[in-house]
Amino acid sequence: MTTTEVWTIGRLLQWTTDFLKKSGSDSARLEAEILLAHAKSCPRIQLYTSFNDEPTEAERATFREMVKRRAEGTPVAYLVGHKEFYSIDFIVSPDCLIPRPETEHLVVAALDWIRNREKSRSLSAGPQKIVDVGTGSGCVAISLAKHLSDVTMFVCDLSPSALQIANANLKKHELADRISMFEGDLLNALPADVKSIDLIVSNPPYISESELAGLAKDVRNFEPKMALVCEDDGMATSVRLLEQAESRLANDGAIMLESSPMVIPRLEAWIQARPGWSMKPTIKDLSGHPRIVIAERT
């Protein structure tokens, strides 16, 4: 960018789109618009009516720095500090995973399960208990709470930094009084008297060390490794959670786990061989890959 040229919004977007494409971006135009809208503190749609306007020098400086960092691999969501998930805007930071469309399948499955179960429960049974394990930004629990009024919800995470982000999102969406938060390892984070849980949902680490090197650099180099990588080729955390769930779930309660298509066949086999569990059909994502494993206590 030279100082002798007039850099209108339209020209900035075109130049940045070409630049990010050369840097390997698969959605360069969208990323350019998101970054410029953030630099200008305006809705992205406003850019379309302002192509001939010239941003201020301060806005251009902010934009240039974000574009540079994006070209180096920093995810757009970390640069702007938020990400939409299930049509809800969430605060994010490098302390938590960036919410992904695949995880929305977990929310849909949980909503369907809870609502179907309500039909068979008596009014005296009280609110159903839901636990979101490894909550990260809190996107799953908050999405559920916004669509379920009569539930008791708990979230837990091993990372205190991630819980700070989750707490910020709880406050942002005015749900801090409806969701209890605990720090610790999986279900061990919960008080001992939290039992007879109706539903456990989790997007646990499920990437093996060998797979990590093959991930996109914006994931591999910037998202928290502890939320991504798991021992035993992606199985260990899910298995530990399933074992802990056996003493915490209600007799007809369920657990839903997001996982990798490479891990899911082994996870299904483990559940099927374990007494006290009943496998439900695994949910596929929009690409047709198995994504959400569901098991109920029997």
Side-chain angles (χ1 to χ4, degrees):
M1 300 182 190
T2 65
T3 57
T4 58
E5 296 174 295
V6 176
W7 285 96
T8 63
I9 286 174
R11 291 196 65 223
L12 278 172
L13 289 175
Q14 187 56 58
W15 187 93
T16 305
T17 298
D18 294 340
F19 178 69
L20 292 178
K21 280 182 180 177
K22 293 174 183 176
S23 301
S25 172
D26 293 328
S27 52
R29 177 67 183 207
L30 175 61
E31 292 179 355
E33 292 177 1
I34 292 172
L35 296 178
L36 185 54
H38 183 75
K40 286 181 57 60
S41 300
C42 73
R44 185 163 64 93
I45 194 171
Q46 186 175 316
L47 299 178
Y48 290 90
T49 62
S50 311
F51 277 178
N52 294 323
D53 293 353
E54 185 179 358
T56 66
E57 178 53 41
E59 291 169 345
R60 292 200 302 272
T62 299
F63 182 58
R64 282 195 297 268
E65 177 61 24
M66 288 194 297
V67 170
K68 175 178 176 289
R69 291 178 61 192
R70 176 59 191 137
E72 293 169 346
T74 305
V76 170
Y78 290 159
L79 291 172
V80 301
H82 62 95
K83 177 71 173 180
E84 184 178 292
F85 175 86
Y86 211 67
S87 299
I88 304 168
D89 191 63
F90 289 94
I91 299 166
V92 296
S93 84
D95 294 313
C96 64
L97 286 182
I98 297 169
R100 289 171 167 77
E102 292 85 356
T103 307
E104 292 184 352
H105 293 283
L106 183 61
V107 174
V108 173
L111 289 173
D112 287 344
W113 191 89
I114 287 290
R115 286 166 176 165
N116 286 334
R117 196 162 187 263
E118 283 176 347
K119 297 174 183 177
S120 61
R121 283 164 54 92
S122 66
L123 294 176
S124 62
Q128 297 190 70
K129 296 179 187 175
I130 304 176
V131 179
D132 176 19
V133 179
T135 193
S137 65
C139 63
V140 171
I142 289 170
S143 298
L144 293 175
K146 278 187 165 288
H147 290 84
L148 298 169
S149 58
D150 190 26
V151 293
T152 300
M153 297 200 64
F154 306 86
V155 300
C156 51
D157 203 293
L158 185 60
S159 166
S161 299
L163 285 176
Q164 288 181 358
I165 300 299
N167 189 48
N169 279 313
L170 289 181
K171 292 178 179 178
K172 174 180 179 178
H173 296 290
E174 301 180 344
L175 289 168
D177 61 336
R178 290 187 53 203
I179 300 178
S180 302
M181 182 179 297
F182 299 93
E183 178 186 337
D185 182 39
L186 304 179
L187 293 176
N188 290 335
L190 300 178
D193 60 353
V194 179
K195 294 184 178 180
S196 297
I197 298 166
D198 296 285
L199 179 63
I200 296 170
V201 294
S202 183
N203 177 18
Y206 54 74
I207 303 296
S208 67
E209 283 282 359
S210 60
E211 289 177 297
L212 183 64
L215 296 181
K217 66 178 181 180
D218 54 351
V219 177
R220 181 180 69 247
N221 297 338
F222 293 90
E223 298 203 52
K225 185 177 179 181
M226 69 178 295
L228 291 168
V229 178
C230 176
E231 298 176 350
D232 191 21
D233 289 334
M235 278 277 288
T237 303
S238 294
V239 167
R240 284 199 302 116
L241 179 53
L242 282 160
E243 290 173 339
Q244 292 179 16
E246 291 175 349
S247 62
R248 294 274 197 163
L249 278 173
N251 289 336
D252 56 349
I255 185 169
M256 298 182 179
L257 301 171
E258 179 177 335
S259 194
S260 159
M262 284 76 77
V263 173
I264 282 179
R266 290 185 293 128
L267 194 55
E268 291 173 331
W270 187 95
I271 294 170
Q272 289 167 342
R274 185 86 167 184
W277 289 106
S278 172
M279 279 291 306
K280 299 302 175 183
T282 295
I283 295 173
K284 296 182 179 180
D285 59 26
L286 294 178
S287 299
H289 299 132
R291 185 61 61 183
I292 309 296
V293 170
I294 304 174
E296 294 181 350
R297 292 296 286 165
T298 58

